[in-house]
Amino acid sequence: MMKIAIAGAGAMGSRFGKMLQDADQDVTLIDNWAAHVTRIQQHGLLFHLPEGDATVAFPAFTPDALKPQHFDLIILFTKAMQMAGMLEDIQGVIDQDTKILVLANGIGNVETIERFVPRKQIIAGVTVWSAELDGPAEVTLTGTGSVSLQAVAPDAANEAFLTQLVAVMNQAHLNVTVSPSVIEAIWKKAAFNSVLNTYTSLISCNVGEFGSFSHRDALITSTLHEIAQVATGLKVPFDEPATLALIMSQFAPGQNGAHYASMYQDLAKNRLTEIDYLNGYVAKKGAELGIPTPINNTLTALIHCREELNQMQAK
Ligand code: NAD
């Protein structure tokens, strides 16, 4: 049995926690939202599932209440901008044999984690599973998904762990494969989000509405081209035509037309967005490399304006 902590037990952390615990793994939830943790401790975590509701008991702690102990694996599932705070808070339960798995969206998460943990302990990936946090200790899970992951600094010891981890996660039906180039997958997903999430959030529209706009192609291709140039500058393999095709495929009838992006929902609920790990990361790296990224700079600034406006209006 693998001893697993989910650090950031929100929507996605709860999903992965449930699926792993259902497959007989030893799962502990860690979250700093006190009302959420208290409710899980007292009543369990309520899941709305296609087959009906289920309430599941978990050991759950805020980071300050966590006793020193060894975890084989910590799955980091905060938002990208919360990751450093989480890693600071859980330093006491990370030892030299603890592997850290990060599947959060955005670029630059590995750079954040390696400030706290040696690279050989980090496994990075992307996932297309989804989940929704409805309130304290209440989550909705629909649909299926998959995970693609890779050790950040492969060596014999972490390759052996990876083999074990893939088996454990697949027993939990998480549909995991090992990627030969997870950085490419991370950039592709981030580029997709940097176009669709950012524009649909700024315009306040769903994916289908964005796909019907006359200026759509110019917005998409110009933003994507800057991202491709920065990726190339960083020597990250980036398939610009394939990423463009993936974005365009979302507008086909019967695809995701009615979908509102998670960034749109974050802004609607007055939460901060992951923009600094999407367009903002591209803009920052572009500046370091001397590659102009005026579009990504502007998009980042506009999303921050929306965040600030939300905060002003909430006062
Ligand atoms: P979420 O906001 O539902 O969950 C994050 C949790 O982390 C929250 O419960 C929060 O209280 C907790 N947290 C934040 N900082 C903390 C700290 N310092 N200490 C302890 N707990 C802390 O977010 P989510 O939707 O589960 O997303 C997590 C990541 O997965 C993001 O990068 C997101 O983009 C990505 N993702 C989400 C989905 C989805 O469908 N929700 C799908 C794919 C990828």
Side-chain angles (χ1 to χ4, degrees), residues 201-241:
S201 301
L202 283 171
I203 301 168
S204 286
C205 64
N206 64 29
V207 169
E209 287 162 343
F210 181 68
S212 70
F213 294 147
S214 50
H215 292 285
R216 168 196 93 177
D217 289 0
L219 294 173
I220 295 171
T221 53
S222 55
T223 309
L224 195 58
H225 191 58
E226 285 184 6
I227 298 172
Q229 285 181 310
V230 173
T232 304
L234 291 169
K235 304 196 172 26
V236 171
F238 188 86
D239 189 337
E240 191 176 347

Side-chain angles (χ1 to χ4, degrees), residues 116-131:
F116 299 88
V117 182
R119 281 173 71 78
K120 63 177 192 221
Q121 290 175 235
I122 307 171
I123 300 162
V126 289
T127 180
V128 292
W129 285 100
S130 64

Side-chain angles (χ1 to χ4, degrees), residues 3 5 7 11 23 38 61 63-64 67 72 101 103-104 123 131 141 169 175 211 215 218 237 263 267 283 293 303 307:
K3 194 161 151 56
T38 305
F61 301 92
D64 55 334
K67 296 209 168 59
D72 302 309
L101 170 62
L103 300 172
I123 300 162
L141 306 184
M169 292 180 77
N175 302 331
H215 292 285
M263 190 185 289
L267 288 172
T293 58
I303 291 288
E307 291 172 337

Side-chain angles (χ1 to χ4, degrees), residues 30-112:
I30 306 171
D31 202 284
N32 70 353
W33 183 13
H36 182 56
V37 170
T38 305
R39 202 169 164 79
I40 297 171
Q41 289 166 342
Q42 292 175 347
H43 305 284
L45 183 39
L46 172 62
F47 290 92
H48 301 295
L49 306 164
E51 62 272 25
D53 289 356
T55 302
V56 183
F58 285 97
F61 301 92
T62 52
D64 55 334
L66 204 57
K67 296 209 168 59
Q69 59 196 292
H70 167 74
F71 289 105
D72 302 309
L73 175 73
I74 296 178
I75 307 181
L76 275 178
F77 251 137
T78 65
K79 296 282 176 67
M81 63 284 188
Q82 301 164 332
M83 213 161 276
M86 169 61 88
L87 284 159
E88 265 161 33
D89 291 345
I90 60 168
Q91 277 295 287
V93 293
I94 302 176
D95 62 45
Q96 61 181 18
D97 295 318
T98 308
K99 297 288 192 289
I100 307 288
L101 170 62
V102 60
L103 300 172
N105 279 336
I107 330 171
N109 292 325
V110 171
E111 286 161 53
T112 302

Side-chain angles (χ1 to χ4, degrees), residues 250-270:
Q250 305 305 302
F251 309 136
Q255 287 299 310
N256 287 326
H259 176 68
Y260 283 90
S262 59
M263 190 185 289
Y264 172 96
Q265 292 170 29
D266 285 338
L267 288 172
K269 292 180 180 159
N270 194 5

Side-chain angles (χ1 to χ4, degrees), residues 2 20 23 25 160-174 176 178:
M2 198 176 272
L20 287 162
Q25 303 306 319
F161 180 84
L162 203 61
T163 305
Q164 190 196 354
L165 177 62
V166 170
V168 161
M169 292 180 77
N170 279 333
Q171 250 168 22
H173 308 291
L174 281 160
V176 179
V178 176

